[in-house]
């Protein structure tokens, strides 16, 4: 009852069943608790409820707004304490948890707690799980090095800036499987001793300020997920400076992680070639090396990665021709090679992969016509913006009936937009044909049929289209986020980009930026080159299908 009194009227009704004078374990009406028989006071008659004790307190997601009730620590038989998803507040640095000697699981996530992760937790010998994510903690007590039975440590999204990864995390933690320290503003290098924690299965250090090289992790034989993205790995200081004499790249030793299924090193400053040895990761499902400074070709050894479902090499300095082995990767669903220096024709081999659903080849130097064979794929996302493609748009584009995102802008396409494209507009949410040399009369074009296609966002400016004398050309969406929109774009980034694009007008046409001069003809300037240094791709680990769903929700 002291806990109820401490919270007071801010309990949002959570403690309405806690009635003074009633037995929390005897009548079964107290909500949010679980009782068990005390092992220290065994009795032969289990109907004698005086030896029942509270072992679980679960206040998850009850929207309680109150200071942290320190009387919780008087529940000395607690095994599980869960208060996540509320608005508990207060500095826990000096809170004494030592009386909770039976505690195994401590869940504090998604509150407004602050201070240092308390050192008194080190006195809980049975503790196996700590989740303090999404709070305001600014430090981790070194005394937590005593918690050798920990299996999961989740401290993500706390303002731990100014300190590095705790040095006590080493091989002595023989039970730790999950280490989540992402979004903590951690600085410095990844300590070598992380590589001695052989039981790790999930390591997430993304979105910090870590620099230097990736340590030897080859002993982590159970590692399934490794996410080091959104740091400054490869840099030698906090200013992002690179070692031009001995560039820091992706270590070939990662190929020893034979259980690995998800590897994300994106948005760092890693340089040099993509190691051939990564092909030994034959259980890998998702590989993201985007937005680094990687050079050279795509290793031909990757043909052996037969289980790979998504690969993102966008935003690097890779070049040459795209290798033909993609057709052999039968599980591959998503390919992003955008923002590199690939040349030649759009590789036909990519379109021979039986499972391809999303393809981003934008911001390269591909030339020649658009391959007709791409229309045989069951694509939902295709971005070929900002290349040197030419020729007419194939009639077979209408076969892509499931396509939701199509980017063909900033190329050299000529001729009319084929009427068959209307067959593929049923599911289309965004279409970019701007900045080409397309011609034709738009007056009765299906592209502007707002009855049949009310959700379509269209960019078609800077072409050579005409309209009838008694009609004006519908306006094009001018602010074009397509130059930055790439496969797997993070929904939050998509939100800011697509905020530039007004929703379809209820009056019938898209709303901004007239592109027409004169009565009968639009005289368009030559296709404009996109701004230099265009934003490269932002891959999230979610599949493209989830991303598109989130993107559509954000647009509309």
């Amino acid at each position: 009852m002291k806990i109820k009194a401490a919270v007071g009227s801010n309990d949002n009704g959570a403690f309405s069943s806690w009635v003074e004078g009633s037995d929390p374990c005897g009548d079964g009406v107290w909500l949010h608790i679980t009782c068990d028989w005390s092992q220290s006071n065994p009795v032969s008659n289990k109907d004698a409820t005086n030896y029942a004790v509270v072992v679980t307190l679960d206040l998850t997601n009850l929207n309680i707004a109150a200071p942290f009730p320190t009387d919780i620590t008087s529940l000395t038989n607690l095994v599980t304490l869960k208060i996540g998803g509320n608005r508990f507040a207060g500095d826990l640095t000096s809170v004494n948890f030592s009386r909770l000697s039976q505690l195994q699981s401590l869940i504090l996530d998604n509150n407004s707690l602050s201070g240092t992760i308390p050192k008194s937790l080190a006195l809980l010998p049975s503790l196996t799980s700590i989740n303090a994510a999404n709070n305001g903690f600014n430090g981790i007590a070194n005394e937590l090095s005593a918690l050798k039975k920990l299996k999961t440590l989740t401290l993500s999204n706390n303002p731990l800036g100014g300190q590095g990864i705790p040095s006590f995390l080493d091989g002595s933690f023989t039970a730790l499987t999950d280490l989540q320290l992402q979004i903590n503003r951690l600085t410095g290098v990844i300590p070598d001793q992380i590589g001695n924690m052989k039981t790790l299965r999930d390591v997430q250090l993304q979105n910090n300020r870590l620099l230097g090289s990736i340590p030897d992790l080859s002993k982590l034989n159970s590692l399934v997920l490794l996410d080091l993205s959104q740091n400054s790995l490869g840099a030698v200081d906090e200013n992002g400076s690179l070692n031009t004499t001995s560039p820091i790249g992706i270590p070939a030793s990662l190929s020893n992680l034979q259980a690995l299924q998800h590897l994300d090193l994106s948005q760092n400053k890693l340089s040099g070639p993509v190691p051939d040895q990564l092909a030994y990761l034959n259980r890998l499902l998702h590989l993201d090396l985007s937005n680094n400074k990687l050079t050279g070709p795509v290793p031909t050894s990757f043909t052996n990665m037969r289980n790979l479902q998504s690969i993102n090499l966008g935003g690097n300095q890779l070049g040459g021709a795209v290798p033909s082995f993609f057709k052999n990767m039968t599980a591959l669903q998503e390919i992003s090679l955008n923002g590199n220096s690939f040349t030649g024709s759009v590789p036909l081999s990519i379109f021979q992969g039986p499972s391809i659903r999303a393809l981003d080849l934008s911001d390269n130097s591909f030339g020649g016509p658009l391959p007709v064979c791409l229309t045989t794929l069951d694509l939902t996302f295709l971005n070929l913006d900002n290349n040197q493609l030419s020729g007419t748009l194939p009639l077979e584009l209408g076969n892509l009936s499931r396509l939701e995102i199509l980017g063909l802008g900033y190329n050299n396409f000529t001729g009319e937009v084929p009427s068959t494209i209307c067959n593929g507009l049923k599911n289309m949410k965004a279409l970019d044909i701007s900045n080409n040399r397309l011609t034709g009369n738009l007056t009765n074009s299906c592209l502007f049929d707002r009855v049949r296609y009310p959700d379509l966002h269209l960019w078609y400016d800077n072409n050579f289209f005409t309209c009838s004398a008694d009609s004006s050309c519908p306006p094009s969406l001018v602010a074009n986020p397509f130059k930055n929109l790439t496969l797997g774009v993070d929904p939050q980034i998509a939100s800011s980009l697509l905020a530039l694009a007004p929703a379809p007008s209820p009056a019938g046409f898209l709303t901004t930026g007239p592109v027409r001069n004169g009565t009968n003809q639009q005289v368009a300037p030559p296709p404009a080159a996109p701004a230099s240094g265009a934003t490269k791709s932002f891959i999230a680990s979610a599949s493209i299908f989830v991303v598109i769903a989130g993107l559509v929700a954000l647009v509309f």
Side-chain angles (χ1 to χ4, degrees):
M1 295 303 294
K2 290 182 179 179
I3 298 171
K4 179 177 180 179
V7 172
S9 61
N10 297 316
D11 69 350
N12 197 32
F15 302 126
S16 59
S17 63
W18 294 21
V19 179
E20 185 75 41
S22 63
D23 186 346
C25 295
D27 48 29
V29 298
W30 281 42
L31 300 178
H32 315 305
I33 67 168
T34 303
C35 295
D36 201 356
W37 299 95
S38 172
Q39 295 181 357
S40 60
N41 296 287
V43 292
S44 57
N45 181 9
K46 289 192 175 183
D47 291 330
T49 60
N50 54 313
Y51 288 114
V53 294
V54 177
V55 294
T56 299
L57 176 61
D58 186 353
L59 304 178
T60 305
N61 295 329
L62 295 178
N63 199 29
I64 300 172
F68 177 79
T70 56
D71 287 302
I72 283 178
T73 62
S74 66
L75 300 174
T76 56
N77 291 287
L78 273 184
V79 175
T80 301
L81 173 58
K82 302 169 71 174
I83 65 168
N86 288 288
R87 289 181 285 166
F88 285 115
D91 188 329
L92 298 194
T93 303
S94 59
V95 174
N96 186 4
F97 286 89
S98 62
R99 297 177 65 191
L100 304 180
S101 59
Q102 308 299 315
L103 196 66
Q104 296 179 19
S105 179
L106 177 62
I107 312 299
L108 307 174
D109 64 307
N110 293 288
N111 280 288
S112 298
L113 303 171
S114 59
T116 299
I117 305 291
K119 63 181 180 181
S120 61
L121 296 180
L123 302 175
L124 307 182
S126 300
L127 197 59
T128 61
S129 178
I130 298 175
N131 184 350
N134 302 306
N135 277 287
F137 291 112
N138 58 15
I140 306 171
N142 287 325
E143 287 81 357
L144 298 189
S145 60
L147 297 175
K148 302 305 182 184
K149 292 185 179 180
L150 268 186
K151 294 181 180 179
T152 63
L153 179 61
T154 303
L155 304 179
S156 55
N157 199 17
N158 281 283
L160 301 178
Q163 56 188 296
I165 296 172
S167 59
F168 61 74
L169 291 172
D170 56 26
S172 64
F173 282 80
T174 57
L176 195 65
T177 60
D178 293 70
L179 177 61
Q180 298 189 27
L181 300 177
Q182 66 268 35
I183 321 176
N184 281 324
R185 308 178 195 171
L186 296 172
T187 58
V189 300
I190 301 175
D192 291 337
Q193 55 264 34
I194 291 284
N196 296 323
M197 303 170 74
K198 298 180 181 180
T199 54
L200 283 174
R201 289 175 50 83
D202 182 342
V203 174
Q204 298 191 48
L205 304 178
Q206 68 268 28
N207 205 345
N208 281 292
R209 300 171 184 173
L210 302 172
L211 46 81
S213 59
I214 299 172
D216 184 2
L217 304 177
S218 57
K219 296 179 183 178
L220 307 186
N221 296 323
S222 300
L223 196 63
V224 173
L225 186 152
L226 177 61
D227 193 339
L228 306 179
S229 64
Q230 300 180 68
N231 281 287
S232 292
L233 297 174
V236 296
D237 57 37
E238 294 183 356
N239 296 321
S241 303
L242 302 179
N243 187 333
T244 55
T245 304
S246 300
I248 299 173
I250 298 172
S253 60
L254 291 178
S255 63
N256 295 318
L257 304 177
Q258 290 299 297
L260 200 63
Q261 296 181 17
H262 182 108
L263 176 60
D264 192 344
L265 305 179
S266 64
Q267 298 187 63
N268 279 288
K269 298 182 182 297
L270 299 166
S271 56
V274 178
D276 290 334
Q277 294 89 336
L278 292 184
Y280 297 142
L281 299 173
N282 52 27
R283 295 186 183 180
L284 200 65
L285 303 177
H286 306 285
L287 175 63
D288 191 348
L289 306 180
S290 63
N291 294 287
N292 279 285
K293 299 181 179 298
L294 303 174
T295 56
V298 179
T300 56
S301 59
F302 276 22
T303 188
N304 298 317
M305 303 175 80
R306 298 300 175 87
N307 293 313
L308 202 64
Q309 296 177 7
S310 67
I311 182 170
N312 186 359
L313 303 177
N316 281 289
Q317 300 165 23
L318 304 174
V322 174
S324 62
F325 59 72
F326 284 114
K327 65 182 179 182
N328 301 324
M329 302 171 75
T330 55
L332 197 59
Q333 299 177 27
E334 306 171 14
I335 303 175
S336 183
L337 303 177
N338 69 292
N340 282 288
S341 299
F342 292 113
T343 58
S345 301
V346 175
L348 300 181
S349 59
I350 277 186
F351 307 115
Q352 296 171 359
S355 302
I356 299 299
R357 299 292 179 268
L359 179 62
D360 188 351
L361 301 179
S362 62
D363 295 292
N364 279 286
S365 297
F366 292 116
L370 194 63
V372 173
C373 60
L374 74 83
T375 61
T376 63
L377 297 176
D378 198 16
L379 291 172
T380 58
F381 180 105
L382 176 62
N383 192 358
L384 299 173
D385 269 15
N386 194 26
N387 278 285
Q388 299 169 19
L389 300 174
S390 58
T392 59
L393 299 179
L395 297 174
E396 291 81 0
L397 277 177
N399 297 337
L400 295 171
S401 59
R402 293 188 59 194
L403 202 59
E404 297 188 15
I405 309 289
L406 176 59
L408 300 173
Y410 290 92
N411 281 287
N412 294 304
F413 291 119
T414 56
E416 297 189 5
V417 178
S419 60
T420 54
I421 199 172
C422 298
N423 300 329
L425 292 182
K426 181 178 179 181
N427 295 305
M428 190 82 71
K429 304 302 179 186
L431 171 62
D432 180 15
I433 54 173
S434 69
N435 295 279
N436 281 286
R437 299 181 181 276
L438 298 169
T439 58
N441 191 301
L442 296 183
T443 302
N444 298 312
S445 173
C446 65
L447 297 176
F448 306 104
D449 189 336
R450 308 312 300 163
V451 175
R452 293 174 63 191
Y453 313 115
D455 296 331
L456 179 64
H457 280 63
L458 174 67
W459 294 263
Y460 73 96
D461 54 298
N462 290 337
N463 280 288
F464 295 95
F465 294 122
T466 62
C467 291
S468 300
D470 57 351
S471 174
S472 62
C473 281
S476 169
L477 288 176
V478 173
N480 189 347
F482 244 89
K483 289 183 294 182
N484 299 324
L485 179 61
T486 52
L487 180 151
V489 65
D490 181 89
Q492 295 303 315
I493 298 169
S495 177
S496 62
L497 292 176
L498 290 171
L500 298 172
S505 166
F509 291 125
L510 302 176
T511 53
T512 64
V515 298
R516 184 173 179 276
N517 265 326
T519 304
N520 295 321
Q521 184 159 350
Q522 158 75 19
V523 180
S532 61
T535 303
K536 303 303 180 184
S537 86
F538 295 85
I539 283 281
S541 59
S543 76
I544 188 61
F545 306 108
V546 174
V547 168
I548 288 176
L551 175 59
V552 170
L554 287 165
V555 174
F556 307 113

